[in-house]
Amino acid sequence: MNQNITENINQIQARIENACQKVGRNPKEVKLLLATKTVNAERIKTVLNAGYTLIAENKVQEVKEKYDALKDIPHTSHFIGHLQTNKIKEILRYDIRCIQSLDRIELAQKLQQRLAYENKNMDVFIQVNTSNEASKFGIAPEKAIALVQEVAQFDRLHIKGLMTIGLFSAKSEEVRPCFQLLKNLQLEINGLNITNVDVSELSMGMSNDLEIAIEEGATIIRVGTAIFGKRIYSDSYYWNENH
């Protein structure tokens, strides 16, 4: 594996362990998801072969482009980008195990229809816009529980967690309320004992704020830049469906 990538992963693992130690959590409770947007298949292969097998893409086009090169190496693929309803049929071809960005009932309805047609099931996370930024996708926090209750009625969709993108801020403490909000939603939802819902996962925290996310209960952190290096495009490019 590329030495820089190896060193970077080791550094991230050390950060995870230190953050867990600080709050008395077991590091095994926190999964490292590799955000592989713009990373070519050969570089992803080296990471998979080294045993880091949870990866995610933001764009259906990139899932498609890398699929053949990666399909024979055991791994688990999630989708973390904004999913347009006209891309559902396409994304279901590529062995995506979980869609972390379910944020509206229309998307749930279309997913249910297509999954029923193909006799498949899909794990999903509800994406919540905890920072209330207009530039972010995700259901408003005050509407999240209603969406969970609606999605729970679709037998092909299995709600396994919540996902959020924290406030983009250099001041780390400004992002903490976003993660606290997601944790509180998790507790509230699980307290309702909704059939077909088990919100055991919290996908939150990225390269810049993973320690705070872990302190607030993250079970999946999504890291790309700190492992693979800076991208050509800004992060906002990958959350904008017009590209």
Side-chain angles (χ1 to χ4, degrees), residues 93-105:
R93 294 178 190 152
Y94 298 110
D95 198 27
I96 297 291
R97 305 280 182 86
C98 177
I99 294 169
Q100 289 199 16
S101 48
L102 181 57
D103 62 355
R104 58 205 190 279
I105 193 62

Side-chain angles (χ1 to χ4, degrees), residues 37 58 168 206 225 231 233-240:
K37 61 190 180 190
N58 287 66
F168 289 139
M206 298 191 282
T225 304
R231 278 113 177 170
Y233 301 107
S234 68
D235 270 357
S236 61
Y237 173 89
Y238 296 96
W239 307 107
N240 187 337

Side-chain angles (χ1 to χ4, degrees), residues 44-126:
I44 298 170
K45 269 188 196 178
T46 61
V47 176
L48 297 180
N49 285 325
Y52 297 95
T53 57
L54 180 59
I55 64 172
E57 293 287 352
N58 287 66
K59 288 183 171 290
V60 176
Q61 185 61 30
E62 284 200 62
V63 174
K64 182 179 175 181
E65 287 167 0
K66 302 171 196 179
Y67 178 75
D68 284 339
L70 302 177
K71 66 182 180 184
D72 294 329
I73 305 173
H75 66 283
T76 301
S77 286
H78 287 200
F79 188 77
I80 56 175
H82 185 68
L83 183 59
Q84 295 166 268
T85 53
N86 64 354
K87 297 285 177 68
I88 288 171
K89 186 176 174 182
E90 195 169 2
I91 202 170
L92 294 183
R93 294 178 190 152
Y94 298 110
D95 198 27
I96 297 291
R97 305 280 182 86
C98 177
I99 294 169
Q100 289 199 16
S101 48
L102 181 57
D103 62 355
R104 58 205 190 279
I105 193 62
E106 180 201 13
L107 179 60
Q109 289 167 336
K110 296 282 175 61
L111 272 168
Q112 167 73 14
Q113 288 168 5
R114 189 70 205 178
L115 288 162
Y117 178 77
E118 296 189 17
N119 195 24
K120 292 179 178 177
N121 296 285
M122 179 65 72
D123 288 347
V124 295
F125 291 7
I126 301 299

